[in-house]
Amino acid sequence: MYRKLYVDGCVDIVCNAVKVQSPLTLEQLCQIIQENLPGSCVPRDNLKEDARLVILDDSSFTIEYANTVPETKLLFSIAHELGHLILHFLEDDGNGKLKTKESVNIGEVEEYEANEFAAYLLMPDEQFISKCKEFSENGMISINKLAEYFHVSNRTATVRGMALGLW
Ligand SMILES: [Zn+2]
């Protein structure tokens, strides 16, 4: 079982520390990373995945992203990589140093956790639920409006609602 409460708590801490609140845009997320962390978001040609975390040394990183991918997909993918950084690559002794890629095992649980990090960062539970009410008419929730509001794809918004048990 993955650590939902721990992951959500980490997002809350990050959001409070850097004073951000969803809905976030891609530009805002990259700016937050650049201004508050020892790393940056860098567009790349010919990247196989939408985004990937590159640990440069014990105190710097980049999040590379494919510049051909739509912004809504990139926003979630970059938030997912940020989740790996915060949840899985910080040294446990709290000195803020980063672990090496070789010393970290990224398996199924870690992927779930990074997804929850991104989902909770971009679509916090309470806000998502309240927007579902706002964007519903005759008992039908508009996924289009939800996705547009949170700057994510329709699919990501749909998965979020399922994860929260809303449909
Ligand atoms: Zn991942």
Side-chain angles (χ1 to χ4, degrees):
M1 191 56 202
Y2 79 96
R3 308 167 293 173
K4 175 172 165 64
L5 288 180
Y6 170 76
V7 172
D8 293 357
C10 286
V11 174
D12 286 336
I13 289 167
V14 171
C15 288
N16 284 329
V18 304
K19 298 189 174 54
V20 290
Q21 234 189 339
S22 72
L24 295 175
T25 63
L26 180 64
E27 201 186 334
Q28 282 170 329
L29 181 62
C30 290
Q31 202 179 336
I32 289 161
I33 291 169
Q34 225 135 312
E35 286 175 2
N36 298 280
L37 297 168
S40 57
C41 299
V42 186
R44 293 269 188 245
D45 297 322
N46 310 319
L47 207 61
K48 260 189 233 141
E49 50 275 85
D50 292 352
R52 65 172 187 183
L53 174 64
V54 182
I55 304 292
L56 300 171
D57 54 47
D58 70 359
S59 49
S60 65
F61 69 90
T62 57
I63 294 174
E64 300 182 338
Y65 63 90
N67 50 15
T68 49
V69 173
E71 282 207 9
T72 49
K73 264 186 96 184
L74 279 183
L75 179 65
F76 192 87
S77 297
I78 291 175
H80 174 104
E81 297 307 320
L82 179 63
H84 279 310
L85 180 87
I86 305 268
L87 300 169
H88 309 130
F89 281 90
L90 281 179
E91 288 283 6
D92 303 317
D93 61 8
N95 66 8
K97 296 278 186 221
L98 301 175
K99 298 177 183 176
T100 61
K101 203 120 204 182
E102 296 73 44
S103 68
V104 177
N105 178 36
I106 299 295
E108 204 178 332
V109 171
E110 286 76 16
E111 293 305 343
Y112 272 116
E113 290 184 344
N115 279 338
E116 172 63 19
F117 185 98
Y120 186 79
L121 174 67
L122 302 177
M123 300 164 280
D125 301 23
E126 275 178 34
Q127 205 184 348
F128 191 84
I129 291 164
S130 108
K131 288 296 158 187
C132 282
K133 286 183 191 140
E134 191 182 320
F135 296 144
S136 72
E137 236 174 82
N138 308 321
M140 285 288 286
I141 297 166
S142 167
I143 296 291
N144 279 334
K145 282 186 186 167
L146 267 179
E148 210 171 292
Y149 179 82
F150 289 105
H151 310 131
V152 297
S153 67
N154 281 17
R155 184 176 174 277
T156 299
T158 305
V159 170
R160 186 59 172 162
M162 280 167 69
L164 293 175
L166 299 178
W167 46 77

